[in-house]
Amino acid sequence: GSAELPRGQAEAKVANKTARVNAPGLRMSTSVALAGRSRSQLPSAGLSAQASAERPVRGEAAQALRVAGPGTQDRRLCTTPDLRFSGQAARSKNWRGGCMGSPCMVAKTSEFVRDFETLRRGDTGIAGGKGANLGEMTAAGLPVPPGFVVTGQAYLHALDVAGGRQRLLDMVRRTDLEDSTALKLASAELQTTIQQAGVPEEVRSAVMEAFADLGRGARVAVRSSATAEDTAEASFAGMNATFTNVVEETLMQRIIDCWASLWSPRVVAYRHSLGLEDEPTIAVVVQRMVDSEASGVMFTVDPISQDRNRMLIEAAYGLGEVVVGGQVEPDTYFVRRSPDPSEPELELSSARVGSKGHRIVRAADGTEARVENSRELRESRVLDDARVLEVASLGLQLEQHYGAPQD
């Protein structure tokens, strides 16, 4: 979030929204939030410390590191900017020069909750595609708003405690999924089973502890992260539930709603069409909201022309759902780039102003509101040249890190 940046640097906020296209070489999806300047422009104390079995942590760094109990790690990641730990206990690069807005952030890993700092791209089975990649980008030092993942194991545990796990599987097996009416009725019963199961106390406790670490009065996005998402054979993008500006009082219900969306008619039918018969699981991302001035989607390679010398950025005012949901015509920016993402030369080649009829913003009472844009806003660019190139620079960092074009 922009609050951690020195005054004058919080110039642009681009929300954590993603979109996907079915184009060769553009399958991987990532999301990133920009609040201010690119990482290379941010101040850094230039400090580095290594903690490992061969080189024990001492002094202030030792006080910052705590491992609590088998299967649960509490990692205090702070004390100095750019303090880096390696090994089992901690791996985090805190380029913000602070600790995500609080005096000391505690990174936790347990069966039911995993902070972003503890996840990597190989953790899809635990955290789903979104959760695993948010962890990967956090580890890469990209400006990702802090958060945690309610794991797929938490979902399964909730079903086990309520005794509904086998009931769900049996219900799917005996339903004719080719019959749309039968599918709709079965889906309603499946989702009711999830809602009635609720959240067990041990999961609730772990979630609320992690939520408290995001700061008093935090508002979060609650995003489904299906563990089968972003595979070579299937894409569940946009099929499961996502909620924005969620507060503490409604957090648990929104997590349950994400769990229930795993059994929506659309998702059940899609799984059936792919012949997926394994028991599905779902993780849930809980991530601090960015009160966005501008949001959008970036493709590090133009998905239409497949020109690897051209990037595409689309942007609109407010929250990103107006772009990814096709609610408005966004601004369109094309940026010239080298096919080699390690080459930093970028040039804005064209900018087209979209109509951008309205925006979604957070209202004073914390709810979301639709606001009609003035004629002046509709006819103005969302991003100036510097901000377009700043977003594009982040895209190159992503592509270089992942080794493939990104959206």
Side-chain angles (χ1 to χ4, degrees), residues 211-220 245-248 288-289 362:
F211 181 79
D213 284 344
L214 296 180
R216 184 184 299 273
R219 294 184 178 275
V220 295
N245 279 310
V246 176
V247 295
E248 179 177 354
R288 196 163 70 189
M289 284 290 299
R362 187 173 73 190

Side-chain angles (χ1 to χ4, degrees), residues 37 48 56 70 127 135 139 161 275 358:
R37 303 189 184 281
S48 177
V161 170
H358 69 275

Side-chain angles (χ1 to χ4, degrees), residues 202-217:
E202 52 270 36
V203 175
R204 182 185 300 269
S205 176
V207 169
M208 295 313 299
E209 183 179 355
F211 181 79
D213 284 344
L214 296 180
R216 184 184 299 273

Side-chain angles (χ1 to χ4, degrees), residues 331-362:
D331 286 0
T332 302
Y333 307 96
F334 286 104
V335 177
R336 298 302 299 176
R337 52 158 292 183
S338 166
D340 182 356
S342 66
E343 296 293 332
E345 290 81 8
L346 293 168
E347 179 184 358
L348 178 62
S349 58
S350 68
R352 183 181 63 80
V353 176
S355 58
K356 308 179 297 291
H358 69 275
R359 65 188 185 275
I360 304 297
V361 300
R362 187 173 73 190

Side-chain angles (χ1 to χ4, degrees), residues 68-146:
T72 301
Q73 298 172 17
D74 271 5
R75 300 196 330 241
R76 294 194 175 274
L77 307 172
C78 202
T79 70
T80 50
D82 267 350
L83 185 65
R84 292 178 238 177
F85 294 100
S86 65
Q88 178 189 13
R91 281 176 285 180
S92 177
K93 185 169 184 179
N94 185 6
W95 55 266
R96 296 170 180 82
C99 212
M100 301 182 184
S102 60
C104 199
M105 189 84 172
V106 180
K108 299 178 182 65
T109 173
S110 72
E111 182 182 5
F112 303 135
V113 169
R114 295 283 295 271
D115 281 359
F116 291 166
E117 290 89 346
T118 72
L119 294 167
R120 299 296 182 269
R121 72 176 90 176
D123 291 323
T124 302
I126 297 171
K130 291 186 185 74
N133 282 290
L134 286 167
E136 181 73 20
M137 289 186 290
T138 298
L142 288 156
V144 179

Side-chain angles (χ1 to χ4, degrees), residues 115-175:
D115 281 359
F116 291 166
E117 290 89 346
T118 72
L119 294 167
R120 299 296 182 269
R121 72 176 90 176
D123 291 323
T124 302
I126 297 171
K130 291 186 185 74
N133 282 290
L134 286 167
E136 181 73 20
M137 289 186 290
T138 298
L142 288 156
V144 179
F148 59 92
V149 175
V150 183
T151 65
Q153 286 75 11
Y155 160 78
L156 293 176
H157 180 69
L159 291 179
D160 284 336
V161 170
R165 187 169 174 180
Q166 190 59 46
R167 179 185 176 192
L168 292 174
L169 299 177
D170 292 342
M171 200 180 308
V172 172
R173 290 192 185 102
R174 66 171 179 259
T175 300

Side-chain angles (χ1 to χ4, degrees), residues 317 331 353-356 359 371-382:
Y317 301 114
D331 286 0
V353 176
S355 58
K356 308 179 297 291
R359 65 188 185 275
V371 177
E372 299 300 318
N373 291 325
S374 66
R375 180 176 180 180
E376 180 182 4
L377 284 178
R378 293 197 305 269
E379 295 178 353
S380 299
R381 281 175 50 178
V382 174

